[in-house]
Amino acid sequence: MTPITRPLTPFDGQKPGTSGLRKKTRVFMQDGYVEAFVQSIFNAIGGVSGKTFVVGGDGRYFNAEAIQTILRMAAAQGAARCIVGREGLLSTPAASNLIRKRGADGGLVLSASHNPGGIDADFGLKYNIANGGPAPESVTATIHEQTQGISEYVTLETPDVDLGLLGETALGKMTVEILDPVADYAALMQELFDFDAIRALIAGGFSLKFDAMHAVTGPYATAILEGMLGAPKGTVLNGVPSVDFGKGHPDPNPIWAKPLVDMVMRDDGPDFAAASDGDGDRNMILGKGIYVTPSDSLAVLAANAHLAPGYARGLAGVARSMPTSRAADRVAEKLGIESFETPTGWKFFGNLLDAGRATLCGEESAGTGSDHVREKDGLWAVLLWLNILAARKISVAEILQDHWRSYGRDYYSRHDYEAVDSAAAEGLMADMNARLNDLPGTEVGNPPKVIARADQFAYTDPVDGSVSRNQGLRIFFADDSRAVIRLSGTGTEGATIRVYLERYEPAGGDLNVETQAALRDLAAAVNALTGLSERTGREAPDVMT
Ligand code: G16
């Protein structure tokens, strides 16, 4: 089988965003598009000769076709081995685990995460490095540079590999190893958590539901929750992955997972419920009658992680993305451990985890994880919650009340304005940036709120000293509330404006106000300050998490 070199013309816009390259599926399906991006990755990492890669994705439309392209190109260019999940399926955390466990040189993960799937929806591809985590900005910048000058790619002309057949096959001189996507991941979870205690909790009548949203976590959740932990059949809802996620939007938040939220709000609802996203790295946690914000979830997990065997030694530090609420910082302070505030994007946690400075990380965007892999991990968060519930023997609502009584409550919500006209969104950001220096001392809203300070968040990585600027506009008010405004880096249509709102209520204060009511004045102040409604023509956000 002789490698074939084919010419290519560069495609505009092959620039990795917050998490890899995400575009409409039809964009990825253009002749040469996947080839151009994959060749750019291969060039950026100094070629693939003799290397081993993990390849898999969330099973969305075009997943299998893109994998065949990657395998042919890797084989043609001298890769030694590609480890692929059966039928091309690997959740993002499972891919991260395999890269680490098998000592692979990297991984190609095919997913547009929580974005919908299908020929008229979204697709994505990202490169992970040898630590199992998303490529840092230095690597993604090189990949982007490569995409701009690409002129050819190298591939083989071969029939498709049978992705359903477990075991090893040869593709040219490369070995393709197809494995069970669940086994290694499930083994890792068993090492971290007290499965006996969780099994006993469930056997004792504790009821739970897990909504896999027709996405990749279905097989993982079914094997672990129903298979290993003895939850009754039917605990996992929508557990069979489909190419278009059952025509749904696999984003585990109160809007897109509304049926699950409605279920826990009923008197006869389950004690615990959770959902995960397209590629299994996000999570939503619910208890009977209560939704746990991702920011609170991170804080509660940090405060209680020692109850799980894998974290009994305590935590080295806790990291959160900048727009995530400061609830986790309060826990870190009490524990006397380091806390870190990073830009949005899991890739920014990699150095802290590798250096042993942070053990738990989390983001407001429904991502929580730890040093067990280098990605956020939806099912891991669910199992840690279950382990904590099994150890503390109180309800989710009681855990939260107890937490707020100790630390105070960071009322928190993110308001998303989706598919907004890009020029309007960029105009809003540019105008606000230009006004930054004049904002301190300004009064906005009714009743008026005084702006104490405002800036554009810049991050200096404490491990390698690299600097990332313009990571979101922060407005701090004199009453210790905070608003953050940034444009999403994962959308595929127009611009998405994210407004992150938080207000701290000390432990002795009113800890049980409805979240949106608690933040109403702050939201109105941000609207008055930015002219958000007039600029976007939107009366209200599309999504409130
Ligand atoms: C990705 C990143 C996260 C980020 C999220 C939202 O998650 O890995 O770190 O918080 O996007 O990013 P943005 O606000 O720029 O849209 P996922 O689950 O989509 O891979």
Side-chain angles (χ1 to χ4, degrees):
M1 256 175 265
T2 321
I4 308 160
T5 302
R6 296 211 172 105
L8 265 181
T9 328
F11 291 86
D12 274 345
Q14 288 199 326
K15 184 172 195 244
T18 309
S19 182
L21 185 67
R22 292 199 190 157
K23 299 282 177 196
K24 291 286 167 208
T25 311
R26 286 185 194 273
V27 172
F28 268 96
M29 290 170 71
Q30 295 171 87
D31 269 353
Y33 194 90
V34 170
E35 288 83 348
F37 193 61
V38 170
Q39 190 64 56
S40 300
I41 295 173
F42 288 176
N43 294 350
I45 60 171
V48 299
S49 181
K51 293 182 179 172
T52 294
F53 296 97
V54 169
V55 184
D58 60 16
R60 69 181 59 223
Y61 188 89
F62 198 53
N63 187 60
E65 291 83 345
I67 289 177
Q68 298 290 353
T69 302
I70 293 167
L71 294 179
R72 285 192 188 98
M73 289 177 66
Q77 299 180 41
R81 177 180 290 264
C82 278
I83 301 165
V84 187
R86 186 178 43 218
E87 302 297 358
L89 289 184
L90 275 178
S91 77
T92 291
S96 182
N97 177 46
L98 276 175
I99 295 170
R100 296 169 66 76
K101 187 167 175 180
R102 299 293 301 274
D105 296 278
L108 291 106
V109 181
L110 300 106
S111 168
S113 193
H114 52 289
N115 297 11
I119 191 165
D120 290 315
D122 295 348
F123 194 77
L125 172 50
K126 73 172 174 170
Y127 182 68
N128 281 25
I129 57 174
N131 76 351
E137 277 193 329
S138 54
V139 178
T140 55
T142 315
I143 295 171
H144 181 222
E145 248 170 63
Q146 286 290 332
T147 66
Q148 293 169 309
I150 195 96
S151 60
E152 58 184 36
Y153 71 98
V154 182
T155 189
L156 292 180
E157 238 164 41
T158 58
D160 282 353
V161 173
D162 183 351
L163 299 177
L165 204 63
L166 289 179
E168 293 188 354
T169 48
L171 184 64
K173 291 187 186 133
M174 183 178 87
T175 303
V176 179
E177 178 186 343
I178 312 276
L179 46 64
D180 171 6
V182 176
D184 295 88
Y185 178 84
L188 176 63
M189 294 302 112
Q190 210 166 1
E191 277 168 33
L192 295 173
F193 301 117
D194 186 345
F195 271 31
D196 288 341
I198 302 174
R199 210 177 287 119
L201 176 78
I202 295 170
F206 179 90
S207 56
L208 71 155
K209 290 284 179 200
F210 179 91
D211 188 348
M213 303 189 88
H214 305 277
V216 77
T217 341
Y220 295 85
T222 306
I224 296 173
L225 298 176
E226 296 184 8
M228 298 164 87
L229 294 170
K233 290 222 171 326
T235 296
V236 177
L237 309 168
N238 306 315
V240 179
S242 75
V243 291
D244 62 358
F245 308 121
K247 302 206 184 313
H249 196 135
D251 193 353
N253 67 33
I255 301 288
W256 299 115
K258 188 165 183 303
L260 194 71
V261 179
D262 291 345
M263 191 188 292
V264 292
M265 295 303 164
R266 290 200 312 255
D267 288 345
D268 63 348
D271 297 309
F272 177 86
S276 191
D277 69 333
D279 61 333
D281 57 0
R282 296 187 175 204
N283 70 87
M284 176 173 69
I285 302 293
L286 301 154
K288 194 193 281 286
I290 194 160
Y291 161 70
V292 183
T293 69
S295 295
D296 273 347
S297 180
L298 173 65
V300 167
L301 294 182
N304 294 279
H306 61 278
L307 298 171
Y311 305 92
R313 66 190 185 282
L315 309 177
V318 182
R320 64 167 172 85
S321 68
M322 179 274 284
T324 304
S325 96
R326 292 163 290 181
D329 304 8
R330 304 181 202 286
V331 176
E333 197 184 341
K334 195 158 174 181
L335 293 174
I337 58 175
E338 284 195 286
S339 61
F340 302 91
E341 183 179 40
T342 61
T344 295
W346 204 262
K347 58 187 174 227
F348 291 102
F349 294 133
N351 278 346
L352 296 169
L353 293 166
D354 284 352
R357 304 264 305 260
T359 309
L360 291 200
C361 304
E363 294 188 283
E364 52 65 39
S365 57
T368 345
S370 87
D371 58 1
H372 69 292
V373 290
R374 293 294 180 272
E375 289 277 5
K376 53 190 187 280
D377 189 344
L379 202 45
W380 168 91
V382 171
L383 292 169
L384 181 49
W385 262 97
L386 289 173
N387 199 146
I388 291 165
L389 288 161
R392 293 192 58 180
K393 300 185 171 47
I394 55 175
S395 70
V396 174
E398 284 162 341
I399 286 184
L400 275 177
Q401 291 295 335
D402 179 55
H403 189 89
W404 294 333
R405 278 194 300 268
S406 306
Y407 297 93
R409 177 171 179 185
D410 292 270
Y411 284 104
Y412 185 88
S413 181
R414 186 182 87 196
H415 292 187
D416 289 339
Y417 298 80
E418 293 177 342
V420 167
D421 174 61
S422 297
E426 276 152 27
L428 183 150
M429 294 304 285
D431 288 353
M432 289 304 298
N433 278 329
R435 289 167 61 196
L436 270 183
N437 291 340
D438 301 330
L439 292 182
T442 310
E443 289 192 350
V444 281
N446 184 19
K449 288 170 88 68
V450 181
I451 297 177
R453 63 191 174 94
D455 65 9
Q456 255 296 349
F457 179 59
Y459 176 65
T460 304
D461 185 304
V463 179
D464 67 13
S466 59
V467 179
S468 305
R469 297 185 202 284
N470 296 321
Q471 298 294 324
L473 201 89
R474 301 191 294 183
I475 302 163
F476 298 90
F477 293 89
D479 63 359
D480 200 23
S481 54
R482 182 183 82 152
V484 172
I485 308 169
R486 58 180 284 281
L487 301 185
S488 159
T490 56
T492 58
E493 205 179 324
T496 293
I497 303 174
R498 302 207 195 281
V499 180
Y500 310 80
L501 305 165
E502 69 179 284
R503 176 169 84 68
Y504 180 60
E505 185 70 37
D510 193 347
L511 301 172
N512 286 296
V513 182
E514 190 274 320
T515 301
Q516 298 306 329
L519 297 169
R520 191 158 292 136
D521 290 348
L522 181 58
V526 171
N527 201 359
L529 180 70
T530 58
L532 191 60
S533 296
E534 299 97 82
R535 285 170 185 270
T536 59
R538 304 280 172 86
E539 288 297 316
D542 300 286
V543 173
M544 292 190 273
T545 62

